Amino acid sequence: AKLDGRNRFVMYSAAIRDDHEDGLALETELREAIRHGEFELQFQPIYNPRSGTATLAEALLRWRHPRRGTVSPEIFIPLAERTGLITVLGSWALGEAIRTALSWPRSVGVSVNVSARQFDHGHDIVGLVEALLRMSGLEPHRLTIEITESSLIDDPDRVVARLVALRALGVRIALDDFGTGYSSLSYLAHLPIDTIKIDQAFTQEIGTSRKADSLMNAITQLAHDLKLRLIVEGVETQEQLQVIEKHAVHGIQGFVFAQPMTADELLPMIGNRVAT
Ligand code: C2E
Ligand code: CA
Ligand code: CA
Ligand code: CA
């Protein structure tokens, strides 16, 4: 048993070392990838049930690695956050998303994920967004910035001040992954945001549990009272869609309509009515 235990320990530490070395390799490769432009944005349309068209699309980063294939943002975003490279990558994503949206109908906006670290003291996110909007000429209301509650943990006052400044430019703010954090209702009422996006973990419960359905009622009421737009994401099935369409939601996003796709693939899909 002793020997077994030791062997297991050896295996365990070797696994950690491998992970660590792979992490270091990946970090070096991430720096290279930024220099070589190996990143691409995909876009997932968000349908507005009232118009029956996509009036917004979320930009999602992809890393086209020459040997590893497509690396998931679930892997490289946390790495980019740890190494601080996220400010460079995130700035690129903002510029690229805005540039892409310029070729869309003016009724269609673009929603961009922004990490907590892009609100760091040393990074002027407000100045960046202001400059990008001015250079591109994109109407500010066509840009939505998605943040998560984790952005507000370190220094809520600073982040809130920056959100206020971004909104003063005319940009919209969405609270992403709603329902996964700790947001109390009173806290939500005081945040300078325009939209809440219901997390897909919650969406998965819709139609299968009664609790989810009554929570859905409560959330729609809350959004209405606080004058917030409501987007439901991760909608995969017709059953979920049917339940959601009974509620007053402003946007529906998920595989039931479309997967994330390249900008070229998205273009013919936006502005047109979708059959459901
Ligand atoms: P997120 O912001 O919550 O984005 C939604 C994720 O759900 C995307 O995964 C999307 O492809 C996926 N998704 C969409 N519809 C469905 C559905 O019906 N079912 C399921 N199961 N999944 C669906 P993706 O593209 O792999 O991105 C993962 C996460 O990486 C994002 O989660 C976001 O947190 C982060 N991320 C992606 N792009 C960026 C970026 O440009 N900047 C930052 N900071 N983070 C990003
Ligand atoms: Ca998001
Ligand atoms: Ca989300
Ligand atoms: Ca998520």
Side-chain angles (χ1 to χ4, degrees):
K2 244 186 202 164
L3 188 67
D4 197 6
R6 198 171 59 213
N7 277 346
R8 215 175 277 147
F9 174 73
V10 170
M11 272 158 49
Y12 184 55
S13 57
I16 288 178
R17 203 182 54 230
D18 281 354
D19 263 14
H20 184 62
E21 280 170 4
D22 200 46
L24 280 181
L26 208 57
E27 180 182 338
T28 310
E29 289 171 18
L30 188 62
R31 287 178 198 279
E32 291 286 296
I34 291 172
R35 287 203 299 133
H36 294 151
E38 288 170 14
F39 293 91
E40 163 188 307
L41 286 182
Q42 291 207 338
F43 297 88
Q44 187 179 29
I46 301 174
Y47 287 96
N48 179 330
R50 270 176 239 178
S51 64
T53 62
T55 48
L56 193 63
E58 179 175 1
L60 295 157
L61 263 170
R62 297 290 179 262
W63 179 1
R64 303 259 176 253
H65 193 287
R67 281 174 298 105
R68 296 177 196 258
T70 303
V71 182
S72 163
E74 310 273 12
I75 292 172
F76 71 81
I77 296 284
L79 179 65
E81 287 173 340
R82 276 201 304 281
T83 54
L85 290 168
I86 191 67
T87 50
V88 184
L89 198 54
S91 303
W92 177 81
L94 272 164
E96 181 72 4
I98 289 172
R99 195 188 62 74
T100 306
L102 289 175
S103 62
W104 300 349
R106 288 178 62 194
S107 56
V108 184
V110 68
S111 203
V112 185
N113 294 284
V114 168
S115 285
R117 296 216 43 190
Q118 291 174 267
F119 288 94
D120 276 359
H121 195 64
H123 182 67
D124 181 12
I125 181 96
V126 181
L128 172 72
V129 169
E130 188 176 18
L132 288 171
L133 289 171
R134 202 174 44 228
M135 287 190 295
S136 66
L138 188 87
E139 297 95 324
H141 68 88
R142 291 180 63 195
L143 176 65
T144 297
I145 284 178
E146 297 192 12
I147 61 157
T148 58
E149 284 169 56
S150 62
S151 295
L152 291 145
I153 291 170
D154 279 352
D155 188 347
D157 290 347
R158 185 182 65 231
V159 176
V160 164
R162 290 182 176 194
L163 296 179
V164 169
L166 286 167
R167 285 179 94 205
L169 297 175
V171 171
R172 291 180 179 157
I173 309 293
L175 185 63
D176 200 2
D177 300 348
F178 181 74
T180 59
Y182 301 95
S183 33
S184 70
L185 303 187
S186 60
Y187 159 87
L188 200 59
H190 291 108
L191 282 183
I193 59 173
D194 303 276
T195 304
I196 46 184
K197 294 188 76 173
I198 296 185
D199 191 67
Q200 49 197 47
F202 178 82
T203 308
Q204 245 78 105
E205 304 281 316
I206 294 175
T208 63
S209 101
R210 278 190 170 229
K211 215 174 105 203
D213 296 339
S214 61
L215 264 172
M216 191 65 207
N217 279 325
I219 294 170
T220 358
Q221 186 62 47
L222 174 78
H224 181 264
D225 292 348
L226 297 177
K227 298 188 169 58
L228 296 171
R229 283 166 219 260
L230 190 63
I231 294 176
V232 185
E233 67 177 354
V235 183
E236 293 179 351
T237 67
Q238 288 294 332
E239 289 72 32
Q240 291 164 351
L241 187 60
Q242 274 167 20
V243 176
I244 292 158
E245 281 181 329
K246 287 191 197 122
H247 296 275
V249 307
H250 301 84
I252 304 176
Q253 178 181 6
F255 296 165
V256 73
F257 287 127
Q259 304 249 345
M261 60 188 84
T262 64
D264 287 347
E265 290 165 335
L266 180 79
L267 202 52
M269 290 192 66
I270 48 180
N272 296 322
R273 288 190 72 82
V274 282
T276 58

